[in-house]
Every structure is written in structure tokens, then in C-alpha cells.
Amino acid sequence: QVQLVESGGGLVQPGGSLRLSCAASGTIFRINAMDWYRQAPGKQRELVASSTNSGGSRYSDSVKGRFTISRDNAKHTVYLQMNSLKPEDTAAYYCNVDGLMYGHREFSTWGQGTQVTVSS
């Protein structure tokens, strides 16, 4: 089994910054993609940022230039640095990690979510 633990959400004023973390644990052989999604009330979950194990990353247009995804492969952890936050960034943020467990079983696991609220 693979578990994810997220942290770092909270209340921040417009223009402020937050850093989210998502740590994976369990019988992990290899991690492939590590992604951040968000879901605002009444809206569908959307992909915010994605990181591959080859070092590539991509972002949604709404966060490009403001958010940065990074990962520490040794710690099985992915981060999302969010700068210049806007009220429309308010949402529950979820990480998703996929890869292989020992025994070469594939996994794709979601974190429990962490709330980010941008408000004055």
C-alpha cells in the first residue's frame, strides 16, 4: 500500500504565498508522475501542475508563472510553491502520485486534500 500525507494549506491574503507538501510512504519501488490538482466548491477537479520522474513539469494556464512544482525523489515528496495567490486559487488541493510498488504492481494514490483559502 502507498499512502500520501499532505500539509501546508491555510488562509492567506491575496498576493501572499503558501507551500504545499505531499509525502508518499509505503512499499514504493519507483514513482513516476507526481501531480497537484485542486477542486473549488461546485467545480470539477482540475490539474494544476505535474512533475515527471525525468524532471519535466507542466502547469495549467491559470497558475503558470505563479506556481512551481518540485520534488525530492529521495524523500518521495512533491511540493507546490504558490506565489501571488489570488482569491480564485481558493480550493481544496490534492496530490496524486503514481508509480510501481515492489512486486511491480502499479499504484495511483490520492492525498487527503488540504484547503487553501485566499481572502482579505
Side-chain angles (χ1 to χ4, degrees):
Q1 294 287 353
V2 176
Q3 298 83 35
L4 303 182
V5 176
E6 300 181 29
S7 61
L11 173 64
V12 64
Q13 292 187 341
S17 298
L18 282 175
R19 189 190 193 208
L20 307 183
S21 299
C22 173
S25 63
T27 54
I28 299 169
F29 175 73
R30 185 182 73 222
I31 290 179
N32 296 327
M34 304 182 86
D35 305 327
W36 285 100
Y37 289 75
R38 68 185 181 188
Q39 187 167 21
K43 295 187 176 181
Q44 289 189 334
R45 191 171 295 189
E46 62 170 344
L47 178 63
V48 174
S50 181
S51 173
T52 67
N53 63 2
S54 60
S57 60
R58 57 188 176 94
Y59 302 89
S60 67
D61 288 342
S62 60
V63 307
K64 200 172 295 183
R66 300 186 298 121
F67 291 11
T68 302
I69 189 170
S70 61
R71 58 196 280 174
D72 184 333
N73 290 324
K75 295 182 178 179
H76 294 163
T77 300
V78 61
Y79 306 95
L80 186 67
Q81 178 66 43
M82 305 184 294
N83 298 329
S84 302
L85 283 161
K86 305 175 181 180
E88 51 264 42
D89 294 318
T90 296
Y93 283 70
Y94 300 88
C95 62
N96 178 266
V97 175
D98 65 64
L100 293 176
M101 292 185 282
Y102 284 102
H104 284 224
R105 286 181 296 152
E106 295 180 345
F107 72 89
S108 181
T109 303
W110 289 92
Q112 82 280 9
T114 185
Q115 180 66 34
V116 171
T117 303
V118 185
S119 175
S120 55

